[in-house]
Amino acid sequence: GFDVHGDYEVLAALRRAHPTPLRPQDLADRVMISAPGMTGRLDRLEKRGLITRAPHPTDRRSTFIEVTAAGIQLADQTFHSLVDEASRLLNGFPSARRRRLTQELRELLTILGDTP
């Protein structure tokens, strides 16, 4: 199956980097997991046809990981599902509180390096 909390993180990182492939270590650093944990996730994603591995052009000890079209589609669908779920949860809040929360989340994302 697809682990939304683990596999999605990897697909989302590759989706954000696309079309630039990433080395496994760079990917592990971006999603803050160990190299052995990353290997297992990459194995699962590759078996499902969501990523490809290619030899690094200059470093024989490394590979490049790239998201496939199917991986992009699944990452986008999962993202939209997560946004829809968050919207449903937030609908229970009064509108003024939702606006404050939205602003605080934007500020947090900016601090974390995301751009609005």
Side-chain angles (χ1 to χ4, degrees):
F2 185 69
D3 174 9
V4 172
H5 299 292
D7 295 344
Y8 171 71
E9 283 183 88
V10 174
L11 273 185
L14 288 166
R15 175 70 172 105
R16 286 188 298 273
H18 184 74
T20 304
L22 297 174
R23 293 178 313 144
Q25 185 58 53
D26 296 332
L27 190 52
D29 291 345
R30 287 182 185 206
V31 297
M32 297 182 283
I33 63 171
S34 68
M38 178 57 68
T39 299
R41 288 180 187 176
L42 293 176
D43 289 345
R44 282 193 305 275
L45 294 171
E46 186 176 37
K47 284 179 187 171
R48 293 191 62 199
L50 302 173
I51 65 156
T52 59
R53 288 175 165 138
H56 191 286
T58 58
D59 182 356
R60 294 185 314 163
R61 298 167 295 156
S62 189
T63 58
F64 271 140
I65 310 300
E66 193 168 7
V67 64
T68 64
I72 289 171
Q73 183 178 7
L74 182 57
D76 290 351
Q77 287 172 347
T78 303
F79 174 78
H80 291 295
S81 294
L82 292 170
V83 168
D84 289 347
E85 181 62 25
S87 293
R88 280 192 293 279
L89 292 171
L90 291 174
N91 281 336
F93 287 101
S95 61
R97 191 165 181 197
R98 278 196 312 264
R99 282 192 300 275
R100 281 194 314 273
L101 181 57
T102 298
Q103 181 57 38
E104 290 170 6
L105 289 172
R106 275 194 189 111
E107 290 171 15
L108 176 62
L109 289 172
T110 301
I111 289 167
L112 294 173
D114 206 354
T115 56

